[in-house]
Amino acid sequence: NVEVPPDLPDGTPAMFMKYVIDTPSGALRVYSVHPFSPRHAMFDGKDSGSNIEHREAQIAAAIAAARNDVPPFIIAGDTNLPPLSSIARRHFAGLRDAWEEVGFGLGYTFPAKRPWMRIDRVFTDKSDQVRFIDVKVGRLGRSDHLPLVVTFEMAPQR
């Protein structure tokens, strides 16, 4: 089951998708996120303040949708927000970060050829319904990001 959210109230694309995956433990809601890149403001001549506002609204909408949904959920993707970002600190607060729980090292995924940022992230809620087991940065492929490979398990749903 795939759900495409409507545009945000100002007409900005939401830039996330919701997938409902049936598993032996029950349904898992996966929110795939990819808010606007800050590069748009730098290289496309767009207003940087507007870019920041849109990016924050996009990530806020995805997280609100996940938090207002039936648990368990995973939020995953290119967040375009490193851990020290004020937007990340505001909106990811109260979520569990796979890399922070079970990762080792820096977890840099971008840019792929010489990574120095951790902007590809995987989160879940504070419940014990999803348990992160392992997370690794994958090998270089065709993307300008390295993949984040996360192993997790779900508790059976009642």
Side-chain angles (χ1 to χ4, degrees):
N1 185 6
V2 179
E3 294 179 26
V4 180
D7 288 347
L8 302 179
D10 68 355
T12 302
M15 300 302 285
F16 72 91
M17 301 276 288
K18 173 186 170 184
Y19 302 87
V20 180
I21 301 169
D22 290 325
T23 76
S25 297
L28 175 65
R29 284 123 191 104
V30 177
Y31 289 82
S32 175
V33 300
H34 192 200
F36 289 163
S37 169
R39 289 184 291 177
H40 293 164
M42 293 186 293
F43 301 116
D44 295 345
K46 307 214 188 241
D47 173 44
S48 64
S50 171
N51 177 279
I52 292 167
E53 291 169 11
H54 289 311
R55 206 163 3 118
E56 181 162 13
Q58 290 166 331
I59 206 69
I63 290 172
R67 286 183 167 155
N68 291 325
D69 205 343
V70 178
F73 65 81
I74 296 259
I75 299 169
D78 174 1
T79 65
N80 279 312
L81 298 168
L84 294 178
S85 156
S86 62
I87 295 172
R89 287 194 313 269
R90 269 194 300 280
H91 295 285
F92 298 148
L95 297 174
R96 294 175 23 237
D97 181 319
W99 192 268
E100 290 177 9
E101 284 193 15
V102 297
F104 180 76
L106 299 172
Y108 294 164
T109 57
F110 183 81
K113 290 189 180 179
R114 288 195 176 86
W116 57 273
M117 285 195 292
R118 185 163 74 91
I119 59 176
D120 298 284
R121 322 248 323 253
V122 176
F123 297 94
T124 192
D125 64 281
K126 288 286 187 185
S127 76
D128 60 356
Q129 292 180 300
V130 173
R131 184 173 74 90
F132 294 123
I133 296 169
D134 190 38
V135 60
K136 290 183 174 42
V137 174
R139 299 169 64 90
L140 182 62
R142 295 186 183 268
S143 175
D144 59 344
H145 294 248
L146 295 174
L148 201 58
V149 181
V150 180
T151 304
F152 64 92
E153 67 182 9
M154 288 176 45
Q157 296 174 15
R158 298 179 181 129

